[in-house]
Amino acid sequence: MAEVAEFAAEPEASCDDLRSILSRVGEKWAPQVMGELDAAPRRFNELLRLVAPITPRMLTVTLRGLESDGLITRTVHPTVPPQVEYGLTRAGRKLFGILRTVASWTDENLPAVHSARAAYRAANG
Amino acid sequence: MAEVAEFAAEPEASCDDLRSILSRVGEKWAPQVMGELDAAPRRFNELLRLVAPITPRMLTVTLRGLESDGLITRTVHPTVPPQVEYGLTRAGRKLFGILRTVASWTDENLPAVHSARAAYRAANG
DNA sequence: CGGTATCCTAACGGATACTG
DNA sequence: CAGTATCCGTTAGGATACCG
């Protein structure tokens, strides 16, 4: 058993794996983009309008990030003009469900969060 | 009803509020610090050891951020030498519970995430 | 239509040294 | 013990313009 890490594909999520997912969905536009894709598959310019005022560059960056983690799919239909559809994967849909519970937490604890921020600013800077 | 926003303290979490929480817990050391505080109240140098190799500066930054959002408490006992205890608030404990479900998701979907990353790197850079 | 390229700034995060 | 101060490299994010 000297080669422990040879078949390291087993589900044993490290702290870094959790962190990479948290910062992925913590990216500025990620939640909104996932929200739109949870509602329906969307095309690039469609997202550009729905997630306004996002810029083309940031939409690309966000989509590529989510895609690279397997949270969304990118499907190119070889038509003229070109047509690209983005959608959530099953994993992405599940993860977005968890984000909804974070949103509920935020909703419930908004007063507490805001007063904590006010208190902190009052005490410090 | 012209002054809709006058008592805007009602729980109606905006998209920015969700995002601020997601990026708060997405900070590099936040999950580990919250995890240690979920296990028990801790003191500064205790955390410094437990969350190694975090630096004093980053621990301070992380703690101040969590405190300013009302997720943790900071209690100073006026003893000699000074003694400061950090702990999760009730809201912080609940939020950490949600982070656990994200951790479960990560655990389940680790293979998918890793193969998506490999595929993405293979296709692009 | 679905993106890139370039440039820029501000914020994040780390190393090291010092303090009430 | 519980932090601050200073410096500095890296990354996130935005503005603008252009391309297959």
Side-chain angles (χ1 to χ4, degrees):
Chain A
M1 51 174 282
E3 48 294 269
V4 187
E6 234 169 52
F7 280 83
E10 282 87 56
E12 184 61 24
S14 73
C15 210
D16 272 17
D17 292 316
L18 170 61
R19 222 185 64 71
S20 70
I21 294 301
L22 283 177
S23 31
R24 178 66 70 202
V25 300
E27 281 173 8
K28 178 160 185 184
W29 303 99
Q32 282 174 80
V33 169
M34 291 182 75
E36 291 302 333
L37 296 182
D38 189 53
R42 308 283 195 190
R43 292 167 58 184
F44 189 88
N45 283 294
E46 207 178 351
L47 287 169
L48 215 46
R49 283 182 290 102
L50 290 165
V51 192
I54 195 174
T55 61
R57 193 182 95 81
M58 286 315 297
L59 181 55
T60 301
V61 168
T62 304
L63 289 169
R64 295 289 184 274
L66 295 171
E67 187 195 353
S68 79
D69 279 358
L71 302 177
I72 67 174
T73 57
R74 176 177 182 272
T75 314
V76 182
H77 299 102
T79 60
V80 189
Q83 185 167 336
V84 181
E85 261 201 354
Y86 293 92
L88 285 186
T89 60
R90 194 151 39 198
R93 208 172 300 277
K94 278 193 184 178
L95 185 54
F96 187 71
I98 301 180
L99 293 197
R100 282 189 192 286
T101 76
V102 179
S104 298
W105 181 97
T106 306
D107 221 61
E108 282 174 30
N109 296 277
L110 239 207
V113 169
H114 281 157
S115 70
R117 286 178 183 168
Y120 187 85
R121 273 193 301 273
N124 311 275
Chain B
M1 52 176 285
E3 48 293 270
V4 187
E6 233 167 54
F7 279 84
E10 282 87 55
E12 185 60 25
S14 73
C15 209
D16 272 17
D17 292 317
L18 170 61
R19 222 186 64 73
S20 71
I21 294 302
L22 283 177
S23 33
R24 178 66 70 204
V25 301
E27 280 172 10
K28 179 159 184 183
W29 303 99
Q32 281 173 81
V33 168
M34 290 182 75
E36 291 303 333
L37 296 182
D38 188 52
R42 309 282 196 193
R43 291 167 58 185
F44 189 87
N45 283 293
E46 207 177 352
L47 287 170
L48 216 46
R49 282 182 291 102
L50 290 165
V51 193
I54 195 173
T55 61
R57 193 182 94 83
M58 285 315 297
L59 181 55
T60 301
V61 168
T62 303
L63 289 169
R64 295 289 184 273
L66 295 171
E67 187 196 354
S68 79
D69 280 357
L71 302 178
I72 66 174
T73 57
R74 176 177 182 272
T75 315
V76 182
H77 298 103
T79 58
V80 190
Q83 185 167 337
V84 180
E85 261 200 355
Y86 293 92
L88 285 186
T89 61
R90 194 152 38 199
R93 208 171 300 277
K94 278 194 184 178
L95 185 54
F96 186 71
I98 301 179
L99 293 197
R100 282 190 192 285
T101 76
V102 179
S104 298
W105 181 97
T106 305
D107 221 61
E108 281 174 32
N109 296 276
L110 238 207
V113 169
H114 281 157
S115 70
R117 286 178 184 167
Y120 187 85
R121 273 192 303 274
N124 309 277

